[in-house]
Amino acid sequence: MTFSLDNIVAWAKRRWFAYPGSDIYGWLANARDLWPYGVEVKKNIENNRWKFFVQKRNDIIWLDSQILMNPKVREASGHVWWFSDPLIDCKKCKSRLRADQLIEEYIEKNNLNLEQINERIKVDNIAVWARSFEQQTEFINQFKIKCPKCWSFDWTEPKQFNLMFKTEQGTIEWQGTDIYLRPETAQGIFVNFKNILDTTRSRIPFGIAQIWKAFRNEITPGNFMFRVREFYQMEIEYFVENDEKIWLECFEEWKKQSKERWINEIWIKEQKLRFRDHDKDELSFYSKWTCDVEYKFPRGRWELQGIAYRTDYDLNQHIKFSWKDLQYSDPQSGKRYVPHCIEPSRGLTRAILTAMIDAYDEEKYSDANWNEQTRVVARFNKNIAPIKFAVIPLVKKDEEQVNMAKEIFDKLSQDYMCEFDDSGNIWKCYRRQDEIWTPYCITIDNQSIQDGTVTIRDRDSMKQWRIKADEIRF
Ligand code: ATP
């Protein structure tokens, strides 16, 4: 069953995953603060990724580079010139939209195929053709696409809008230097490449990874945490030799790896994932091959991750702009070259959202009196569930039960995120824990005081069994 995004937004707020940012001032549009369970999910995804790619491998190192960088970095990477989206305004209601998205959504909503489009305008490929302002204007005019907010047909011409947030560095207002909040984390890796080569024992092929914030002044943010202006990215730049066989193999390996991680780490349902290679004309100018990992969200199929073969574009640009030698010397062959790189770039904020959407379920069951009930249950990978154990004394006024529950909580919380729940109503406790993904509830009752056993309840099956308190393991 598919649940609407509104369902997920309400659940996230009700159950402490994400809350509207600056709420007491009436919210800053599309900003979301992560709340305790959201923070835990984020931390768990990050830690699992770190363990998988850094702790268990020898060829990837970890970095935490600065958000604010020398403005020349953004000139070298080209973000100052090309990192923009086509913007269009409705003259009537003043709505500001992305022209390419307006067209894409129109095609999807009306289920238009190439043949139908070709009846009005000559197009070779739906996915890529509406790139230039002329093409976008022609499409909007030919199909008389109306403003989705006020239904009028009165557009400005499309124009380019740079998505980088600009600020000033310096102590004197208006006299500082223009500087950008980074729109992606990758350049922090490229500018550290030389120092890493000089100071670590990294040898090609090797990768540099980082997870941190990026900022984009999106024209049409929305869909909860899908498109926001401040978000987390998890990027890896994997450097290889310039050899077609090598980079092709490496690219395929990252595709395989990515699929495996989405399914086994985040527990995304395989049938909702799609790996879509870009057509030649759709590729960014710096990429020779890109594959988008897409997910079937309640409102459409959208990107979760991009895997791009970026060639040696970025390092070459930094060579040009910094005048530094960023070549690699192969210690065995003595060959010197500028390495090429494969970039698997995944949004962490989107991963949290996708995990939530994929896990959310509403299920009917019979209670102890055979009455039909509905429970919200999030079937989520236990490794990223925010709380691993809820410890519940059955009778909150029973001092012995409460003390034993506290002892178990103190012990388990050394290693796991646990919750102590002494609100007294066991069924309500179970419901609450099901909703926040807690895999196991531990209940302490009268028998626990007699023989030291406790009841364990499994979230998914709702089955219960007794074990010795000191045998509890995750
Ligand atoms: P989109 O086509 O959705 O705008 P993109 O192709 O611009 O994404 P990339 O530049 O490849 O995205 O960034 C890598 C990843 O960062 C994306 O796959 C996505 O998961 C995440 N990401 C990008 N922009 C945003 C955003 N505004 N909000 C949340 N996550 C984002």
Side-chain angles (χ1 to χ4, degrees):
M1 190 166 165
T2 308
F3 298 92
S4 74
L5 206 53
D6 295 339
N7 243 324
I8 306 294
V9 176
W11 170 53
K13 194 171 167 186
R14 188 175 71 242
R15 285 294 171 226
W16 299 357
F17 287 101
Y19 214 79
S22 315
D23 195 41
I24 60 165
Y25 289 98
W27 193 32
L28 173 69
N30 299 293
R32 304 278 171 183
D33 293 339
L34 288 182
W35 268 39
Y37 300 139
V39 174
E40 281 302 314
V41 175
K42 170 181 157 286
K43 231 172 57 191
N44 291 340
I45 295 178
E46 257 177 54
N47 289 347
N48 286 344
R49 188 172 170 86
W50 184 86
K51 195 167 175 187
F52 188 83
F53 287 114
V54 181
Q55 186 173 323
K56 289 186 175 175
R57 286 173 69 142
N58 265 329
D59 59 340
I60 297 184
I61 65 164
W62 207 243
L63 192 77
D64 189 340
S65 72
Q66 296 276 284
I67 288 173
L68 297 175
M69 303 174 81
N70 189 313
K72 277 197 186 144
V73 172
R74 295 293 153 202
E75 287 177 33
S77 66
H79 281 95
V80 171
W81 326 114
W82 63 264
F83 194 64
S84 52
D85 277 336
L87 173 152
I88 189 168
D89 286 315
C90 169
K91 288 189 200 158
K92 189 119 181 255
C93 72
K94 310 290 177 226
S95 289
R96 183 155 272 198
L97 300 164
R98 260 175 71 172
D100 54 338
Q101 272 178 3
L102 184 72
I103 295 170
E104 255 173 57
E105 277 161 23
Y106 183 85
I107 293 175
E108 201 171 311
K109 205 161 150 206
N110 294 285
N111 230 344
L112 293 184
N113 59 33
L114 195 56
E115 225 168 71
Q116 290 163 316
I117 295 176
N118 272 330
E119 281 168 18
R120 303 214 199 160
I121 34 181
K122 181 78 198 88
V123 171
D124 293 329
N125 181 331
I126 297 183
V128 299
W129 78 279
R131 278 291 174 93
S132 72
F133 291 161
E134 293 76 40
Q135 288 170 326
Q136 285 158 359
T137 308
E138 194 189 353
F139 194 105
I140 290 168
N141 287 338
Q142 284 296 331
F143 284 87
K144 289 257 167 319
I145 304 181
K146 294 195 175 120
C147 169
K149 300 256 167 69
C150 71
W151 296 105
S152 54
F153 179 72
D154 195 3
W155 298 109
T156 57
E157 294 284 310
K159 57 175 182 277
Q160 255 351 321
F161 173 75
N162 195 296
L163 300 181
M164 283 198 294
F165 279 101
K166 207 194 262 188
T167 182
E168 244 185 297
Q169 174 160 292
T171 48
I172 306 171
E173 219 176 337
W174 306 117
Q175 289 183 23
T177 315
D178 279 350
I179 196 165
Y180 304 96
L181 301 191
R182 67 175 173 208
E184 36 83 301
T185 62
Q187 298 307 321
I189 293 176
F190 293 119
V191 298
N192 274 289
F193 176 77
K194 183 179 161 42
N195 290 347
I196 285 170
L197 271 189
D198 291 349
T199 55
T200 69
R201 281 176 288 119
S202 303
R203 294 282 168 264
I204 298 266
F206 77 97
I208 306 174
Q210 75 168 325
I211 300 181
W212 210 191
K213 275 202 169 157
F215 303 81
R216 294 183 188 180
N217 198 3
E218 298 279 2
I219 297 166
T220 46
N223 290 313
F224 191 28
M225 294 194 288
F226 180 80
R227 189 173 300 287
V228 278
R229 292 188 168 119
E230 179 180 337
F231 55 97
Y232 289 96
Q233 278 191 323
M234 306 189 280
E235 295 198 298
I236 298 176
E237 303 301 326
Y238 199 80
F239 297 97
V240 294
E241 226 179 290
N242 177 19
D243 176 311
E244 185 160 306
K245 190 166 165 285
I246 292 177
W247 73 253
L248 267 172
E249 260 172 30
C250 184
F251 195 93
E252 282 309 318
E253 185 51 38
W254 276 108
K255 258 168 99 169
K256 212 170 98 206
Q257 191 85 259
S258 298
K259 186 168 178 184
E260 194 268 331
R261 299 305 295 155
W262 280 113
I263 294 169
N264 295 335
E265 177 194 335
I266 317 279
W267 270 24
I268 298 300
K269 293 181 191 76
E270 190 171 354
Q271 68 271 23
K272 291 202 170 179
L273 271 186
R274 182 170 76 178
F275 281 66
R276 189 180 65 79
D277 284 322
H278 281 204
D279 283 313
K280 262 212 164 100
D281 349 15
E282 194 186 353
L283 290 170
S284 305
F285 63 90
Y286 55 75
S287 171
K288 265 203 184 157
W289 196 1
T290 294
C291 175
D292 281 349
V293 183
E294 297 171 337
Y295 178 81
K296 199 164 179 296
F297 285 93
R299 294 182 188 163
R301 205 178 268 286
W302 300 329
E303 178 183 326
L304 281 182
Q305 175 182 1
I307 307 170
Y309 167 44
R310 295 179 75 117
T311 68
D312 53 359
Y313 170 78
D314 300 271
L315 287 180
N316 270 332
Q317 285 296 102
H318 290 300
I319 291 172
K320 263 192 230 153
F321 279 75
S322 71
W323 296 80
K324 296 283 180 326
D325 180 6
L326 305 183
Q327 290 186 91
Y328 172 76
S329 289
D330 189 298
Q332 250 135 38
S333 66
K335 209 167 110 188
R336 281 175 68 73
Y337 59 90
V338 178
H340 283 225
C341 97
I342 308 285
E343 175 195 75
S345 171
R346 177 182 284 203
L348 173 54
T349 308
R350 275 187 199 174
I352 299 170
L353 171 66
T354 316
M356 292 179 71
I357 290 174
D358 214 81
Y360 184 91
D361 197 11
E362 289 173 15
E363 181 187 75
K364 299 245 177 285
Y365 72 100
S366 298
D367 66 13
N369 302 317
W370 300 104
N371 295 322
E372 192 179 81
Q373 306 279 0
T374 304
R375 68 167 181 156
V376 171
V377 56
R379 288 197 188 75
F380 198 69
N381 187 347
K382 293 172 184 168
N383 282 332
I384 46 175
I387 303 292
K388 310 298 189 220
F389 294 105
V391 186
I392 308 167
L394 188 64
V395 181
K396 70 172 176 184
K397 287 193 180 137
D398 186 317
E399 212 175 303
E400 278 185 295
Q401 287 185 22
V402 171
N403 286 343
M404 183 171 172
K406 278 188 179 154
E407 255 174 49
I408 294 174
F409 173 85
D410 286 345
K411 194 167 159 219
L412 288 175
S413 58
Q414 304 278 333
D415 298 315
Y416 310 107
M417 198 69 192
C418 300
E419 206 160 83
F420 184 79
D421 196 336
D422 64 349
S423 52
N425 182 330
I426 189 74
W427 296 108
K428 278 196 182 154
C429 287
Y430 286 163
R431 283 303 76 75
R432 193 163 44 241
Q433 296 300 331
D434 287 344
E435 263 200 77
I436 60 163
W437 303 332
T438 307
Y440 302 111
C441 290
I442 300 169
T443 307
I444 292 85
D445 55 14
N446 251 338
Q447 190 181 331
S448 311
I449 309 301
Q450 312 303 324
D451 64 8
T453 63
V454 294
T455 305
I456 302 260
R457 175 187 175 273
D458 175 68
R459 173 196 67 196
D460 297 342
S461 63
M462 294 197 277
K463 286 205 174 108
Q464 301 190 24
W465 64 94
R466 291 198 84 89
I467 62 165
K468 285 265 182 212
D470 49 15
E471 285 170 6
I472 303 168
R473 302 275 178 280
F474 185 65

